Each structure stands twice: as structure tokens, then as C-alpha cells.
Amino acid sequence: KSWQKARSKLDEEISSDSDAESPTFGGKRKKDNEADEIEETAQEKKLRLAKLYLKQLQEQEAEKAEEKALEEDLVAGRLKEDVVSRLLEGEELMDSGLQPPDTAAIRVLRGHQLPITCLVISPDDKYIFSAAKDCSIIKWDVESGKKLHVIPGGKKGTEAQHVGHTAHVLSMAISSDGKYLATGDRNKLIMIWEAVTCKHLYKFTGHRDTVTGLSFQKGTHQLYSASHDRSVKVWNVAENAYVETLFGHQDAITGLDSLSRECCVTSGGRDGTVRVWKIPEESQLVFYGHQGSIDCVQLINEEHMVSGADDGSVALWGLSKKKPLATVRQAHSNFGAQGLEQPYWISSVATLLNSDVVATGSHSSSVRLWKCGEGFRRLEPLFDIPLIGFVNSLKFSNAGDFLVVGVGQEHRLGRWWRIKEAKNSICIIPLQRTVAGSAQPADGS
């Protein structure tokens, strides 16, 4: 409080000087000046004290700025340590070596009548929510594999009476606190559910075509949705409110993902672009690389993502470059008669968050796991997991100890092929790593 004392002293001195200049004390003032000729005048004293006051104010402001900078450095340091720690944990997972799972340990959950189209895992890894072309939603217990709740699908034309979907459910998301579940369908609707009880809360309308992508911003109840109408919409689920609409894609949007930042990524199908939408800045970054329709996209961390297309390619991206850091052509090989070969479409991708592990799915009779090379500039195959059917959805558990696969006889977006021998089912695949010569469950938490 030194500047306050200086200001108080300045006021007292000015008041004293004013009194000294009055007629009552004029004689005494004259005598003092004669006794000490070097004594400063009242005006000089005012100027000196004013300068002192300003100097002390500047020192105070400098101290405050220094303290603020130190505090910001400490916060930035803690954030950096946290990010590095997460990345190192992810690298540690791979350094210890993921191993092909025992196929006998894969659990198959049956409940949907038609192909599974999407699924999510609860933040605590205890529950799986899945949806299918039969318009139903099922909540599963991971440990027992039992159905905990079934939200049946309704028939076309019963929208007014039926609580639930009456068209193919193609997208799904769960909030990071496990409170809300969001589902989107071919009827342009987004349904919001209470995840614990599966109670229907409300529906969002506004899209003009099929809702193909949903994702909650981590740590919030802000929901992003993408549609074949080429738009991205932002919603506040806690407030049951629409926020805004974003435009940019030139074709139907096929996939969407987001993490903690206030932005989302989308795959634009036939327009050949992946886009990053920066919500506060109202801007977008456009990325080019695939030759076919980009059907799926997932963030690996806040700076990198992976996408898959129907030209059979898988691409790794960094947000600082408009072209892929790495591309694998014919990632799941080819099929067809000699001379008429075509690549297996990449129908789904998944990432183990903040690690270097990626999974891709097609209808090539296997799920393929990959390792991202140094700097995310290479994509190296690790091993295949045999699975018959279209792999329409892939999700790693949050702890990284299992992978969930949604399998169907058909592709989630159409009926181009039908694999009769496939089972419409949920597969839970345990992941293992080798540590000091012994296999242990993987843990990326």
C-alpha cells in the first residue's frame, strides 16, 4: 500500500503548503526561507511529491504484471506437464507392445435385428450404448454382457405416438460426465436421453436431412451435430437450446468428432475435404487428401486426426498442414474378380485418445490395428482381428483395455452389399500388451 501512503502524504503536504502561503503565517514563512535558502518552494515540493507518487504507482503496476506473468507461467507449465504426461502414457502403451487378442476371448452380444450402425462407451467403461437400422437403442452392461435397457424402434408413421426413433439411427454421442445420451436418425431428428435411466428428455429439430454425426465437447454439455444437409449445428443440451449453424461443406457430411477445445472436425463425403470448425472464431480449416468419399474421421489428440475413405485409404493429419502427414492406400487390400479389383471401403476408424494407436474397419473380414510412427508421419500395421461383416462402428474403451465393434450385414449408410454369413452384433475385444515377457491387459488411462 506504499502508493496509498504517498498519496496521503502528498495531500497533507499540499494542505500544509497552502496554509503556509496564507497571510497568517506569511511572516514565519519568510523567516524560515531566510534561515535556509536551499529549502524548496511549495510549488517544487508539490512537483517532487507528485513525481514520487507516480513512480510508486508504476512500481506497483510492474509488480502486479510480474506476479500475473509468473502465475500464467505456472499454469502453462502445469498444462504442458499434463499433456506431455498423457502423450507419454500413450507412447508407453505402444512401447510395451500391443499383442493380438485371443479370438476365443472375444465376446459377442446379440440383440439388434438389423445391422448395428453406431455405438458409444460410457465414461466409466461400464456400459455400452448401441443403435441399429431397426431403429432401436440398447444399453449393455460390459462386465456381464447383459441388456440393461432396450428402447424399441417404432414403425414409420407412428412418430407422434412413439417415444424413440422410427428411422435408422446413424449417430450417437454421450457427454463426458455420462449424463446425456444423444442419438440422430434418418428422419432428421436428434433425440436426447438421460443416460442412466434411458428416459427420453427432448428432441432437437432443425436439420433438413439425415443426422450422420454427433459429438459432445468434453467437459461440457455442448453438442455438435452433422448432417447430409451439409451443415454443422451447435446445441446446448443442458438448456435444451439451439445455438448456431455452420456451413462450408459442398456435399453430405458423413462423420464428426470433437475433444476439449471449442471446435469439431467433420468428413465431407464426396466433396473430398476434412474440415476443422473453430466455433469462437467462426472460421474453418479445409484439408484435402483422399481421392474418394471420406466416410469417417476421428481425433487422436487436439493436434492430430485420422480419416478413412471409400477409395480404401486411411490418412493421418496434423492441424498445421492442409495435406495428410501420412496416407496408406488400399489399407484393407482389394476385392473383386481379376481386372475388376476395387479397394475395400474404410467404413469406420477409432483412436485410443492421446496415444498412437488407431483401429480401422471395413468389410474385409477383419479389424486392423495400426501404430502411428514418430511425429505421426507413418502408419504401421500391427495386427488384424478376424471379424465377418461390415464394421460400422469402432470405439476404444477410455482405459484402453478393450475395443468395441459394431458389426452388420450391411454398410451403415446404404445397402450396396449384403454379407449373409455376418451376424448383426456387438463384439467386445480385450486388448493385451507384453510386459517383461508376460501378457497383461492394456491400460491407456
Side-chain angles (χ1 to χ4, degrees):
K1 303 296 183 180
S2 58
W3 64 273
Q4 291 178 334
K5 291 180 181 178
R7 183 174 180 177
S8 175
K9 184 176 180 182
L10 176 62
D11 292 339
E12 289 173 6
E13 291 286 353
I14 291 172
S15 175
S16 173
D17 290 338
S18 297
D19 291 339
E21 290 172 358
S22 65
T24 310
F25 297 96
K28 185 176 184 299
R29 176 74 178 173
K30 187 176 180 181
K31 289 179 182 179
D32 290 340
N33 285 343
E34 290 174 353
D36 190 358
E37 292 181 357
I38 63 169
E39 185 177 69
E40 61 190 351
T41 65
Q43 193 63 31
E44 289 171 337
K45 184 178 286 187
K46 289 178 186 177
L47 184 61
R48 177 175 60 81
L49 292 174
K51 286 181 178 178
L52 177 64
Y53 172 53
L54 288 173
K55 183 180 178 182
Q56 289 174 334
L57 274 180
Q58 289 171 346
E59 289 174 352
Q60 280 289 108
E61 290 303 315
E63 289 175 5
K64 285 181 182 178
E66 190 175 343
E67 290 174 0
K68 185 178 180 181
L70 180 61
E71 186 177 349
E72 287 175 350
D73 287 344
L74 289 172
V75 171
R78 285 196 294 269
L79 289 173
K80 187 175 180 181
E81 288 174 3
D82 184 49
V83 170
V84 170
S85 174
R86 289 183 183 182
L87 290 173
L88 285 175
E89 287 171 357
E91 290 169 2
E92 192 176 312
L93 170 66
M94 283 311 306
D95 289 342
S96 58
L98 270 180
Q99 297 299 307
D102 179 2
T103 53
I106 298 175
R107 293 188 290 152
V108 179
L109 311 181
R110 300 287 305 276
H112 292 286
Q113 301 303 310
L114 293 178
I116 283 73
T117 52
C118 52
L119 60 86
V120 294
I121 305 172
S122 63
D124 59 8
D125 289 341
K126 291 183 178 179
Y127 310 105
I128 297 168
F129 296 86
S130 62
K133 288 187 177 182
D134 60 15
C135 316
S136 67
I137 300 168
I138 299 178
K139 181 179 181 179
W140 307 84
D141 180 81
V142 171
E143 188 175 355
S144 67
K146 292 181 178 179
K147 287 183 278 189
L148 299 178
H149 202 287
V150 178
I151 303 170
K155 293 183 179 179
K156 187 177 181 180
T158 64
E159 290 85 359
Q161 303 86 27
H162 181 71
V163 178
H165 292 280
T166 58
H168 296 178
V169 184
L170 294 179
S171 52
M172 181 179 282
I174 190 168
S175 58
S176 56
D177 61 358
K179 184 175 182 179
Y180 296 111
L181 178 73
T183 52
D185 68 14
R186 277 194 178 275
N187 275 352
K188 319 167 194 175
L189 297 177
I190 299 171
M191 301 274 189
I192 305 298
W193 312 83
E194 189 177 78
V196 175
T197 62
C198 291
K199 175 187 175 184
H200 181 261
L201 298 177
Y202 29 79
K203 69 175 70 171
F204 291 149
T205 59
H207 278 297
R208 298 181 179 182
D209 207 335
T210 303
V211 180
T212 51
L214 290 168
S215 182
F216 281 93
Q217 180 187 343
K218 290 189 180 297
T220 76
H221 292 143
Q222 180 157 288
L223 177 69
Y224 304 113
S225 63
S227 167
H228 280 176
D229 66 11
R230 309 180 188 181
S231 73
V232 174
K233 290 186 184 290
V234 186
W235 315 83
N236 185 327
V237 173
E239 301 293 332
N240 187 16
Y242 161 79
V243 179
E244 62 179 318
T245 302
L246 311 170
F247 296 99
H249 277 293
Q250 303 302 306
D251 194 48
I253 303 175
T254 54
L256 178 147
D257 193 26
S258 67
L259 291 177
S260 300
R261 290 180 182 171
E262 198 172 350
C263 70
C264 61
V265 300
T266 52
S267 52
R270 293 274 164 210
D271 80 358
T273 68
V274 172
R275 296 181 188 237
V276 176
W277 305 82
K278 297 184 175 182
I279 310 301
E281 295 91 339
E282 297 183 351
S283 65
Q284 56 186 286
L285 303 176
V286 185
F287 301 81
Y288 297 91
H290 293 283
Q291 295 174 350
S293 174
I294 308 173
D295 291 343
C296 44
V297 64
Q298 287 282 299
L299 285 159
I300 300 172
N301 52 44
E302 296 286 9
E303 300 296 333
H304 299 90
M305 56 189 172
V306 62
S307 60
D310 71 359
D311 63 3
S313 63
V314 176
L316 274 178
W317 310 81
L319 299 195
S320 59
K321 291 196 174 183
K322 297 297 181 73
K323 296 290 184 181
L325 299 176
T327 303
V328 178
R329 306 288 179 193
Q330 302 169 8
H332 280 251
S333 190
N334 295 327
F335 70 100
Q338 187 173 0
L340 298 173
E341 299 95 339
Q342 60 176 304
Y344 281 104
W345 296 8
I346 305 302
S347 52
S348 58
V349 295
T351 62
L352 182 53
L353 194 59
N354 293 320
S355 79
D356 55 0
V357 185
V358 172
T360 58
S362 182
H363 61 287
S364 60
S365 302
S366 66
V367 171
R368 181 161 290 181
L369 266 68
W370 309 78
K371 173 183 177 179
C372 302
E374 185 179 352
F376 294 91
R377 296 187 177 277
R378 293 192 314 279
L379 201 56
E380 303 163 357
L382 288 174
F383 52 81
D384 288 358
I385 303 168
L387 275 178
I388 305 292
F390 279 88
V391 177
N392 287 326
S393 189
L394 284 166
K395 286 288 186 296
F396 282 99
S397 65
N398 296 288
D401 53 355
F402 61 90
L403 174 66
V404 182
V405 186
V407 182
Q409 293 180 332
E410 302 166 351
H411 191 284
R412 74 181 185 104
L413 296 176
R415 304 186 67 182
W416 298 283
W417 298 280
R418 183 176 176 82
I419 303 174
K420 291 184 179 180
E421 59 270 30
K423 305 295 183 185
N424 298 318
S425 58
I426 307 294
C427 297
I428 302 176
I429 303 170
L431 298 177
Q432 296 196 337
R433 59 180 177 174
T434 300
V435 178
S438 62
Q440 297 183 3
D443 186 3
S445 62

